[in-house]
């Protein structure tokens, strides 16, 4: 599963200065998330978006016990890893590699980077948190070394509880990330212009 061809946009990967890995939400597509780049300060970036099989990275809620979402979750993380490897093969360093996801893609984004913490260019999670019925700190290692991470979400949100966002912020901070968390009252399950503005200034600026 999750073996569909990588979708790309922006600068050609062999000549790009930076890479942005973009992860779509449940029921959406790589093309959907790539379209968001028109609103981001990423003119010199290669844009890389893997496509989930049947538009779903894993079948159940991100709050389900992890074994319930296997083997899809492991395969989803491997798809992100292959995308990172493609950027590295083109000579783009981790410091010039960025991540962005929305909803299920935001959860997958945070889960991947927390399991492979290092100094990345930056991370944007629009409505997401770390995956599991609880947090499992033993799964996470490395040092973000000040990587800027922006997490924006609504309270309430139909899929992502604010308390999981807060717990994720704490764990990512403990791994050395510089996390900016914004929880908006009654925002809805969406991406707002204010979130895009913050992502541009905090991560892509």
């Amino acid at each position: 599963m999750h073996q569909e061809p990588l979708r790309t946009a922006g600068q050609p990967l062999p000549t790009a200065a930076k890479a942005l890995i973009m992860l779509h939400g449940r029921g959406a597509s790589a093309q959907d998330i790539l379209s968001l780049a028109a609103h981001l300060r990423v003119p010199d970036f290669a844009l890389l978006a893997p496509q989930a099989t049947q538009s779903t990275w894993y079948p159940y809620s991100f709050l389900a016990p992890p074994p319930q979402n296997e083997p899809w979750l492991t395969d989803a993380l491997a798809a992100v890893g292959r995308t990172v490897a493609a950027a590295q093969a083109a000579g783009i360093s981790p410091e010039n590699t960025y991540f962005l996801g929305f909803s299920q893609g935001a959860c997958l984004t945070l889960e991947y980077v927390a399991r492979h913490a290092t100094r990345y260019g930056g991370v944007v999670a629009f409505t997401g948190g770390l995956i599991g019925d609880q947090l499992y700190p033993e799964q996470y290692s490395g040092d973000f070394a000040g990587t800027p991470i922006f997490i924006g979400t609504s309270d309430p949100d139909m899929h992502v509880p604010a308390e999981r966002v807060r717990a994720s912020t704490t764990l990512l901070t403990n791994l050395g990330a510089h996390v900016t968390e914004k929880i908006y009252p009654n925002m809805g399950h969406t991406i707002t212009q204010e979130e895009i503005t913050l992502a541009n200034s905090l991560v892509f600026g």
Side-chain angles (χ1 to χ4, degrees):
M1 63 194 71
H2 307 319
Q3 297 290 329
E4 296 196 35
L6 185 66
R7 273 64 166 182
T8 62
Q11 297 297 318
L13 188 56
T15 58
K18 300 175 181 178
L20 172 59
I21 295 168
M22 308 182 76
L23 301 180
H24 67 78
R26 188 191 300 270
S29 71
Q31 210 57 48
D32 292 334
I33 197 74
L34 284 170
S35 70
L36 186 63
H39 305 281
L40 303 173
R41 293 180 189 160
V42 291
D44 58 341
F45 286 59
L47 308 175
L48 310 175
Q51 172 66 48
T53 299
Q54 298 180 341
S55 296
T56 300
W57 293 112
Y58 42 86
Y60 301 110
S61 165
F62 85 111
L63 298 171
Q68 291 186 12
N69 274 317
E70 293 296 354
W72 300 275
L73 176 57
T74 292
D75 279 2
L77 291 164
V80 182
R82 289 193 299 273
T83 309
V84 172
Q88 291 178 340
I92 295 176
S93 66
E95 294 90 341
N96 286 320
T97 302
Y98 295 70
F99 298 81
L100 178 149
F102 171 63
S103 191
Q104 193 184 56
C107 297
L108 183 60
T109 293
L110 293 178
E111 188 70 17
Y112 179 86
V113 298
R115 293 188 184 205
H116 305 87
T118 190
R119 183 55 167 93
Y120 296 114
V123 180
V124 176
F126 293 125
T127 311
L130 292 166
I131 294 173
D133 53 322
Q134 62 184 49
L135 297 188
Y136 295 91
E138 66 276 8
Q139 293 188 347
Y140 309 120
S141 62
D143 184 355
F144 281 114
T147 296
I149 298 180
F150 172 70
I151 306 175
T153 195
S154 176
D155 185 19
D157 180 85
M158 67 183 82
H159 301 295
V160 181
E163 55 265 30
R164 174 54 60 90
V165 174
R166 295 187 182 100
S168 300
T169 292
T170 298
L171 190 148
L172 295 163
T173 300
N174 289 340
L175 287 171
H178 187 281
V179 184
T180 300
E181 171 198 284
K182 296 289 285 186
I183 299 177
Y184 301 91
N186 302 304
M187 179 179 74
H189 196 72
T190 186
I191 301 171
T192 67
Q193 182 57 54
E194 181 176 335
E195 289 180 292
I196 290 171
T197 299
L198 281 170
N200 278 328
S201 63
L202 296 168
V203 176
F204 302 118

